């Protein structure tokens, strides 16, 4: 999986796809912890649907990134 990203110093912003569900969850989880930065902002602006498995993947990624000394935050426009 490759997603659009932007780097701001020690932070990488990952723009998620339109759907974050069961089909994308394991790939997303693997992708987020292999990025060149461990401080990640997941930008859900373009995401129309997210199911429980997609949310679980994001939360598991946060746990894994924290173990690596980083963190994960979620962002979306209001």
């Amino acid at each position: 999986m490759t997603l659009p990203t932007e780097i701001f110093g020690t932070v990488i912003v990952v723009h998620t796809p339109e759907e974050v569900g069961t089909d994308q969850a394991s790939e997303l989880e693997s992708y987020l912890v292999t990025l060149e930065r461990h401080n990640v902002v997941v930008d859900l602006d373009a995401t129309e649907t997210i199911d429980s498995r997609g949310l679980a993947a994001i939360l598991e990624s946060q746990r894994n990134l924290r173990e690596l000394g980083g963190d994960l935050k979620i962002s979306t426009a209001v």
Side-chain angles (χ1 to χ4, degrees):
M1 171 177 272
T2 303
L3 296 171
T5 60
E6 296 176 84
I7 295 175
F8 299 95
T10 62
V11 176
I12 188 164
V13 177
V14 178
H15 302 280
T16 55
E18 187 174 316
E19 182 179 337
V20 179
T22 302
D23 294 341
Q24 300 84 11
S26 61
E27 284 185 79
L28 178 63
E29 188 176 329
S30 297
Y31 178 74
L32 292 175
V33 297
T34 60
L35 295 169
E36 58 194 74
R37 307 260 192 309
H38 295 278
N39 290 308
V40 178
V41 174
V42 175
D43 179 9
L44 296 173
D45 277 349
T47 302
E48 295 292 324
T49 59
I50 183 168
D51 70 9
S52 60
R53 182 59 188 107
L55 183 57
I58 291 172
L59 294 173
E60 184 64 20
S61 297
Q62 182 184 47
R63 187 186 67 76
N64 292 333
L65 287 165
R66 286 179 175 174
E67 287 178 0
L68 296 170
D71 203 357
L72 183 145
K73 303 292 183 189
I74 298 172
S75 172
T76 188
V78 178

